[in-house]
Amino acid sequence: MADLRALTQQIPELHVNAFRWTSREQFQQAATRIGAEMALLDAQSQRVKLAELVARLGDGHSFVQGYFPLLGFVPKSFPLRLYFFADGLHVLAAARSHAQLLGARLERINGLPVALVFKRVSAMFPAENDMSAKAWTVYGMTAPAVLRAYGVMKASGPARFEFEQDGRLLDMDLAGSERDAPMEQFGQVLDPDWVLARPAHRPALRHRHPERAYWAAFEAPHGLLYAQFNDIRNRGSQGVLDFFAELARQAEAQPAERFVLDLRWNAGGETGMNGAIVKTLLASPVINRKDRFFVLIGRRTFSSAQLICTALEQYSQAIFVGETTGIRSHFFANTRRRLQLPHSQLNVFLSTNWWQPTNARDLQPGQDPQIAVAESFADHAQNRDPALEAVLAHPVGN
């Protein structure tokens, strides 16, 4: 239990304010309970419980390396990637060997309802609100080590997943099929050995270039200048600030009726660029217009991307469309303090700064859209984008 002792003793010393969202007493009680549970678990599931203790801080930037989906999730997984749509938890992607499960709605795991499994498994992730819990918990719900840690599976027992598909029940034991997680980029599966639940031909605009950190296109039939911004880091030959400068020039050159900035897959990056990005958008008389400037947000909009949203909400004409973002309006970040656990050698990263870009009383659990849009699995399977459709349906301003 050397790792647990190290976490319990050093988190309060290394974190900038460990007990902002939980009390010291609650943290110590969680450590005691987790210690008792770890004594009954295998080594892989013990690591899951260590991640749970860090998650008790309620800080989305403090985590155990390898157990935080935004930066890599190392536990082996069953050959499924799940996603919470408005109509339930569906299979979004699958290994080719399990392609028959694409689109199926998960109902139970080993007899336990999905809602109960979600509640148990979500404890290991440092989610700041319900949306980030939905975004991250799906990774744990297909990982055997995680399911064992929370009593959903036994060490040598079955992994019986019950689905509803096309009006019929489908029961499948996935035990023994676990493998490394698929290759992903910005939250989207790009693994050649996996298949997707949506058609590959004629993808929705949001899925046109899932491998790119940032890109833009002018859609003449809709008078739409669309920019997808997935990562606040310089990539390739064109840096981020050059990309936004070019966007502003393009907006003036094209007869665009609407400008869309898509931040739904942007989990953050280099905060130092945010000011220049926002200033470029505000300075453009073509982009920053009432009822013509739209920002798409969602459960994976996080960290520095949230700071961009907050600034645009305060100072621009932007209308926000989609889902609530995955982080509080004020949050801890800058995970520069690292603790290496003595037994497992796992690295734990802890926040060193507090970001408060608005009034201290502004304690939103996430930024809500002005136009809320729920996506069903049928929307996804038909390559529709309800959020973008809502933008195109919105009356254009003068």
Side-chain angles (χ1 to χ4, degrees):
M1 295 298 175
D3 286 351
L4 184 63
R5 286 194 297 272
L7 278 180
T8 305
Q9 294 167 5
Q10 295 191 49
I11 280 179
E13 297 176 10
L14 296 178
H15 193 281
V16 63
N17 185 1
F19 304 119
R20 168 84 187 209
W21 305 118
T22 190
S23 70
R24 185 181 294 272
E25 181 182 16
Q26 289 170 327
F27 181 78
Q28 292 293 342
Q29 288 173 349
T32 300
R33 171 183 56 79
I34 286 170
E37 292 168 349
M38 286 176 63
L40 305 175
L41 297 172
D42 61 78
Q44 291 300 316
S45 295
Q46 287 178 352
R47 295 182 174 204
V48 171
K49 301 302 286 187
L50 293 173
E52 178 184 337
L53 183 59
V54 179
R56 289 289 302 181
L57 299 177
D59 168 16
H61 285 82
S62 292
F63 55 89
V64 176
Q65 187 177 30
Y67 291 79
F68 184 45
L70 288 182
L71 297 174
F73 195 68
V74 299
K76 289 190 179 296
S77 172
F78 294 125
L80 308 175
R81 176 67 77 239
L82 304 171
Y83 189 88
F84 278 102
F85 291 94
D87 54 339
L89 183 61
H90 290 259
V91 178
L92 184 74
R96 292 186 184 277
S97 59
H98 289 72
Q100 73 273 24
L101 294 176
L102 288 173
R105 187 178 68 218
L106 181 60
E107 301 288 344
R108 293 175 181 80
I109 302 177
N110 281 342
L112 298 178
V114 159
L116 178 57
V117 177
F118 173 81
K119 183 178 180 180
R120 292 187 185 182
V121 171
S122 64
M124 74 165 290
F125 295 102
E128 298 209 3
N129 60 28
D130 291 343
M131 297 309 295
S132 52
K134 285 184 175 181
W136 302 340
T137 302
V138 292
Y139 289 80
M141 291 176 74
T142 57
V146 176
L147 296 177
R148 291 195 300 271
Y150 293 104
V152 181
M153 282 180 62
K154 295 183 179 179
S156 58
R160 192 166 297 283
F161 281 59
E162 297 175 43
F163 301 92
E164 189 279 331
Q165 189 176 48
D166 299 327
R168 60 187 179 87
L169 295 178
L170 180 62
D171 192 340
M172 182 173 291
D173 187 357
L174 296 178
S177 66
E178 55 266 31
R179 62 196 67 196
D180 291 337
M183 291 185 294
E184 288 191 6
Q185 184 80 308
F186 311 123
Q188 300 187 66
V189 174
L190 298 181
D191 197 307
D193 294 326
W194 283 55
V195 287
L196 306 178
R198 59 178 175 82
H201 63 282
R202 300 186 65 183
L205 193 57
R206 61 177 166 168
H207 293 134
R208 188 174 294 177
H209 299 295
E211 77 288 353
R212 296 186 187 179
Y214 36 86
W215 61 276
F218 178 65
E219 296 292 300
H222 302 294
L224 171 71
L225 180 57
Y226 170 90
Q228 189 175 95
F229 186 35
N230 296 330
D231 191 17
I232 314 175
R233 296 176 181 85
N234 291 322
R235 302 285 189 110
S237 59
Q238 185 184 45
V240 168
L241 300 186
D242 290 338
F243 170 73
F244 277 92
E246 177 60 30
L247 264 183
R249 289 191 291 269
Q250 189 176 357
E252 294 179 9
Q254 300 282 8
E257 292 187 351
R258 299 174 177 87
F259 174 75
V260 169
L261 178 63
D262 193 343
L263 298 177
R264 287 176 289 184
W265 283 279
N266 196 317
E270 298 178 17
T271 307
M273 289 192 256
N274 282 9
I277 292 169
V278 172
K279 287 178 181 178
T280 299
L281 295 171
L282 295 179
S284 171
V286 179
I287 290 175
N288 189 27
R289 292 185 291 173
K290 182 177 172 59
D291 292 318
R292 291 175 180 265
F293 181 15
F294 301 87
V295 180
L296 305 185
I297 55 176
R299 64 191 71 179
R300 292 183 68 93
T301 308
F302 191 76
S303 193
S304 297
Q306 177 60 64
L307 294 176
I308 291 176
C309 290
T310 300
L312 292 176
E313 183 182 40
Q314 288 180 291
Y315 302 116
S316 81
Q317 300 279 356
I319 296 173
F320 292 82
V321 182
E323 301 176 319
T324 301
T325 59
I327 192 169
R328 299 181 184 93
S329 54
H330 302 162
F331 54 86
F332 294 110
N334 304 96
T335 53
R336 297 192 178 97
R337 287 191 183 137
R338 188 187 75 172
L339 162 65
Q340 188 171 63
L341 299 182
H343 178 69
S344 64
Q345 300 298 297
L346 287 171
N347 291 316
V348 180
F349 290 86
L350 300 169
S351 293
T352 58
N353 282 339
W354 169 247
W355 287 88
Q356 184 177 298
T358 60
N359 188 288
R361 291 174 294 180
D362 178 21
L363 294 176
Q364 298 178 65
Q367 183 170 333
D368 293 326
Q370 288 141 296
I371 302 176
V373 179
E375 180 183 6
S376 68
F377 176 73
D379 293 327
H380 182 83
Q382 295 167 19
N383 273 334
R384 294 181 55 202
D385 186 346
L388 191 56
E389 290 173 9
V391 168
L392 296 176
H394 189 82
V396 174
N398 296 324

